[in-house]
Amino acid sequence: MNIKTKLSSLMYPPIALALLAACSSDDVLENNNEPTTQGQTLTINATTGGEDGTRVSFDEGTYATKWETNDKVYIYAGGTDKVGEFTVKSITNDHNAVLKGTISGTLPTTTTTNITGYIYNSKVETSDSGSPAAVTNYGKHIDVDYSEQKGTWEDAMSRCVLFGQGTYNPNNTDQTVDMKFEYKTTFFKLMLNFGDPSINTTATMCLTGDNMVSNSRINAIGANAGEQEYAKDLFINIKDVTITNGKATVYVAMYSQPLKNVYLQVVLENNDVYDFNISNNATTAITLEPGKVYPIERKGVKEKTSTKWEGKGIEGDPFLIKSVADLKLLAKKLKDYTDDAKWGYNNKYFELTSDLIINGEWEPIGNYSKAFRGIFDGKDHTISGNITINNLATNQGAGLFGVITTAGVTDRPCGIIKNLTSKLNINANSANDNTSNTYTGSIVGRIITGGTVENCTNKGAVKATTQFVSGIIGAIQLDGKNNLTENQKVIVEACANEGDVANIFNNTANKTISVGGIIGFVNGNSTNKDGNYKSDIEVKGCYLDGAKLTMTSDKYSAGIIGLIQNSRDADQSKVTACWVKNITLPTGGNRASIVSSGSGNATETSKSLPYTLNYCWADKKYNSGFACSVNAVINNCKIASEESLDSFYSKMNNAWGSSTYKFNSDGTINQSIKTK
C-alpha cells in the first residue's frame, strides 16, 4: 500500500501570546518577523524493523524540520489488528512524501477504511492501557511524558507529536492514501535573565500553571483518533540547565491546551531560588496553538527570607501566607518554639493567598514535640514542586506539615488543615531508611489524638523510606488514655488522592508497614475502653482514583486506609461514603479496596478488632474486598458489578450527610454548596 503524507507547518510566531504579555522588540524572530513555514517532502518505504533514531533533526536558526532516512512512522488501518511500521526510503524536496509498507491483517475490499498514524519520536510511546488489549508493540494510544525535560531544543523536539489521518478506498487502482499530519505539541522558548551577570552555574527548574500537562495520552484509533484521551495535570521539571553570565535559554515542549497562571521557579546549585512570572499577571487563559514556538523573555526575582506575616492570626484577620518564605517562617517558628509557637499556634488562623512552588529540601511544619495546633486554610490554592525531607527520626512525620494535634486543647478550634491541593512530588527519607514509627503523607505526616484535614487533594507522587506512607495523611494516632477530659476526634473529609504512593521502607527486620491511598495507618490504642471520653476517627466523602500504591515488602495496603490496628470497638474508626477505582495495589500481603488490617484469624485477632464501613464503593473487588478483617462491620457497600458509581453516588451523599460537600455523579466532589 502506498500512503502519501503531507506534513503540516511548524510555525514560529513573531511575538508571545497575550497571556504572556506583549514582548519587546527583542522578541521578534528570524525571517523578518514572519512565521516561517517548515515542511518536507518524504519518500517513505514502510518495512518491519528499521533503524532506531529520532524522527527528525532541526536547524535551530530557522526552526526547519529535516527528515532522516532512519525515521519511523506507525500506521493503523482502522484498528490495532491492522498495523504497520513505515520507514523513510528517500527524501526529495519539502512537504510531500510517499510511504510504502505492509499492514498486518486484511483490509476491506468494498468499504473505505480510516487510516491513522503518528511519527515515531524518542519520547513518544504507544500505550496498551484499557481494553480491549492492543496488538503487541502497537498500542491504541500515544503517550508522551513531558514531566522531566532537559531544556534543550533537541530534547523538546523529541516529545513532538505529529498525528495523521486519511482514508483508504479500495476502488483506487493505485491504492494511494492521502494523509495529513498535524502537530499536537507546543513549545516555549524561555529567555531568562537572573539580573546578575556573575551567575555561572547549573539549575533545576519547575514550570507550573493551570492545566499544565505533565503526561498526555492521545487516541491512535477510533472515532476520537487524534484527540486527547487522558492528561495528568501536574507540572514540568527541567533539570541541569546551564546559566551563563546570569542568563539562560530554555526550550519546553507541552501539550497544546489553555494555560493560565504560569510560573517558573529556578533553584541554583547553591540553593538560591528565583521566581519568574511567565504569565505576567494575565487574568485570562489562552489556548496555545500546536506546532508553534512561543518566545518569552522574563527577569527573575530572587526569593527573600520572611521575618513576619501580615495579619493578626485571628479568624477575621488571619496571618497571610503570601510566599514560600512565609511558609518556611511558619516551619521555623514552630521548630524554634518562640512566641505563639510555644503552643503550636493554638487557635491561630493562617490563610494562603496564592499558589506556591516549593523545590529542594523541606522542613515540615510541626514535629512530634512541637506539633501544629493552628487553623491553616489553603483557600483552594495549590502548592506544587519537588521536595525532599531527610533524616526523619522516630515518631516524626513528613509532608507539607509534619505533625498536627489537638492534644491539650479543650475549648477552641485547632489542628485544622483545609482547602488545599498538593502537586508536590515528595521524597521522604527516614534516618536510616528503616527507622520505625516514621510517617509520610502529602498534606501531613502524622495526626496525634485529634485534628481535621478537610477538602484537601493530592496529585503529586509520594515516595518514602518511612514505615507508613499515604497520599494525604501518613498516620493517625488516637489516644488510648482513660482519663481524657473530653472526646477527641480526627475528621478526614472531602479529600482525594490521584497521585502514586510508594513505600520503600527497608524492611529487613520484617516490621509492620503499610501504604494507603488517603491514610497510611490508624492506631486505635485499644486500651481506652473504660474512660468517660473517647478518641475516634471519621473518614467521609473521600476517594482514590487512578493511583498506583507500591511497597518494597508486601504487608498492608488499601485504597482508603492502609492499615488499622488496635481498634477499641467498631465505633472508633468509621469510613463512610468513600470510593476507589482504577487503582493498583501491591501484589501480596493483606490488601483491600477500602481498609486493610489483620484478617481476624487466631494469629491476628489482637490487631483486628472491629471498624465500620458505610456506603463505600469500588470499581471491582480488590483481593480481600472492602476490608481484610472478618470483624469489620460492612454496611451497604457495593462494587461496580452490583451498582454503578453514577447510580450509587446519591446514596453515598445521603450517608455522608454533609451540608458543605456532596459527590457529583462521576464521584468528584461538588463544592458549589461550600460556605466555609
Side-chain angles (χ1 to χ4, degrees), residues 507-519:
N507 199 21
T508 55
N510 196 31
K511 297 175 181 177
T512 298
I513 67 172
S514 67
V515 60
I518 302 297
I519 301 164

Side-chain angles (χ1 to χ4, degrees), residues 321-600:
I321 305 297
K322 304 174 72 174
S323 66
V324 175
D326 286 340
L327 201 60
K328 288 181 177 179
L329 180 62
L330 177 55
K332 183 179 185 301
K333 282 183 172 291
L334 274 170
K335 182 179 180 181
D336 294 343
Y337 231 45
T338 58
D339 304 324
D340 289 335
K342 290 181 179 179
W343 297 102
Y345 287 106
N346 175 22
N347 195 231
K348 295 295 183 182
Y349 287 77
F350 295 82
E351 188 174 292
L352 189 61
T353 64
S354 64
D355 294 348
L356 297 180
I357 309 173
I358 308 173
N359 285 288
E361 191 161 348
W362 178 250
E363 179 82 35
I365 300 168
N367 57 49
Y368 179 64
S369 61
K370 302 167 184 177
F372 179 73
R373 289 176 169 86
I375 300 95
F376 187 94
D377 189 346
K379 302 299 288 186
D380 297 322
H381 290 298
T382 298
I383 299 179
S384 304
N386 309 276
I387 62 173
T388 300
I389 301 166
N390 290 320
N391 300 316
L392 204 66
T394 297
N395 292 323
Q396 299 299 353
L400 182 66
F401 287 78
V403 181
I404 70 171
T405 187
T406 59
V409 182
T410 61
D411 59 348
R412 64 193 70 181
C414 71
I416 299 171
I417 304 170
K418 61 182 180 179
N419 306 326
L420 181 64
T421 294
S422 170
K423 292 184 181 179
L424 290 168
N425 286 335
I426 296 176
N427 189 353
N429 303 292
S430 58
N432 299 305
D433 287 348
N434 61 353
T435 303
S436 298
N437 300 321
T438 46
Y439 318 90
T440 301
S442 66
I443 303 298
V444 58
R446 190 181 188 193
I447 300 177
I448 299 176
T449 301
T452 298
V453 178
E454 174 188 325
N455 190 33
C456 291
T457 297
N458 174 59
K459 296 187 176 184
V462 180
K463 179 180 178 181
T465 64
T466 57
Q467 191 173 355
F468 306 102
V469 188
S470 188
I472 301 293
I473 302 162
I476 294 171
Q477 178 77 42
L478 299 177
D479 205 319
K481 298 177 181 178
N482 287 325
N483 59 348
L484 293 176
T485 58
E486 66 170 20
N487 289 328
Q488 296 281 359
K489 181 168 286 189
V490 174
I491 296 175
V492 182
E493 182 173 16
C495 290
N497 180 32
E498 300 172 8
D500 294 343
V501 184
N503 185 333
I504 53 174
F505 185 77
N506 184 9
N507 199 21
T508 55
N510 196 31
K511 297 175 181 177
T512 298
I513 67 172
S514 67
V515 60
I518 302 297
I519 301 164
F521 174 52
V522 174
N523 189 347
N525 267 320
S526 56
T527 54
N528 175 230
K529 293 182 178 180
D530 302 319
N532 293 322
Y533 299 100
K534 309 295 184 182
S535 181
D536 298 334
I537 175 176
E538 287 187 21
V539 183
K540 46 192 178 182
C542 298
Y543 69 85
L544 177 70
D545 188 8
K548 183 177 182 179
L549 310 184
T550 58
M551 64 174 66
T552 52
S553 60
D554 295 330
K555 290 295 183 178
Y556 299 92
S557 61
I560 301 299
I561 301 177
L563 172 63
I564 290 181
Q565 282 189 348
N566 304 319
S567 296
R568 182 192 68 233
D569 52 40
D571 291 329
Q572 184 177 43
S573 299
K574 292 183 179 180
V575 181
T576 301
C578 293
W579 64 265
V580 301
K581 71 174 182 178
N582 299 326
I583 67 173
T584 302
L585 296 177
T587 56
N590 287 22
R591 296 163 291 155
S593 57
I594 304 298
V595 175
S596 181
S597 65
S599 63

Side-chain angles (χ1 to χ4, degrees), residues 44-293:
I44 303 177
N45 290 324
T47 58
T48 59
E51 295 293 327
D52 183 18
T54 58
R55 181 188 64 80
V56 66
S57 63
F58 291 82
D59 176 356
E60 187 177 340
T62 59
Y63 295 90
T65 58
K66 297 178 181 178
W67 286 86
E68 298 177 350
T69 56
N70 61 357
D71 292 336
K72 295 185 290 186
V73 182
Y74 291 162
I75 296 295
Y76 300 80
T80 57
D81 59 334
K82 301 177 181 67
V83 296
E85 181 180 298
F86 290 55
T87 57
V88 177
K89 178 180 179 182
S90 62
I91 301 173
T92 55
N93 51 20
D94 293 342
H95 253 335
N96 296 321
V98 175
L99 303 173
K100 189 176 182 179
T102 302
I103 293 291
S104 63
T106 302
L107 295 178
T109 58
T110 58
T111 58
T112 59
T113 300
N114 185 38
I115 305 296
T116 59
Y118 72 97
I119 303 167
Y120 170 83
N121 226 332
S122 60
K123 298 295 193 303
V124 179
E125 300 178 344
T126 57
S127 167
D128 292 333
S129 59
S131 60
V135 175
T136 303
N137 298 326
Y138 293 94
K140 59 186 176 181
H141 302 123
I142 304 165
D143 284 1
V144 187
D145 187 347
Y146 299 106
S147 64
E148 299 281 344
Q149 302 190 32
K150 296 179 180 179
T152 64
W153 175 250
E154 292 78 12
D155 183 73
M157 291 304 124
S158 72
R159 304 164 202 276
C160 179
V161 179
L162 286 123
F163 185 83
Q165 297 195 64
T167 302
Y168 167 72
N169 188 339
N171 295 322
N172 291 345
T173 57
D174 62 356
Q175 295 192 351
T176 298
V177 176
D178 292 328
M179 295 185 71
K180 182 179 180 181
F181 282 77
E182 296 181 341
Y183 284 88
K184 300 295 182 182
T185 314
T186 298
F187 309 92
F188 277 178
K189 179 182 180 181
L190 303 177
M191 295 165 281
L192 308 175
N193 186 344
F194 292 81
D196 183 353
S198 69
I199 297 177
N200 293 280
T201 186
T202 59
T204 298
M205 304 182 177
C206 182
L207 184 67
T208 69
D210 298 350
N211 289 329
M212 183 69 67
V213 171
S214 62
N215 301 80
S216 74
R217 182 179 299 145
I218 299 168
N219 292 311
I221 59 174
N224 296 318
E227 297 180 10
Q228 180 173 276
E229 190 266 342
Y230 163 82
K232 185 174 183 179
D233 174 17
L234 202 59
F235 52 81
I236 296 173
N237 291 315
I238 310 128
K239 296 185 175 181
D240 301 321
V241 176
T242 299
I243 302 170
T244 304
N245 300 327
K247 294 185 178 181
T249 299
V250 179
Y251 293 94
V252 186
M254 62 192 71
Y255 187 83
S256 304
Q257 68 176 20
L259 285 181
K260 186 179 178 182
N261 298 323
V262 183
Y263 292 89
L264 179 76
Q265 184 175 92
V266 180
V267 181
L268 305 188
E269 195 172 16
N270 65 358
N271 290 322
D272 284 350
V273 177
Y274 286 78
D275 293 308
F276 293 81
N277 186 344
I278 304 301
S279 290
N280 207 24
N281 298 321
T283 58
T284 57
I286 192 167
T287 299
L288 303 177
E289 295 185 37
K292 289 190 177 182
V293 181

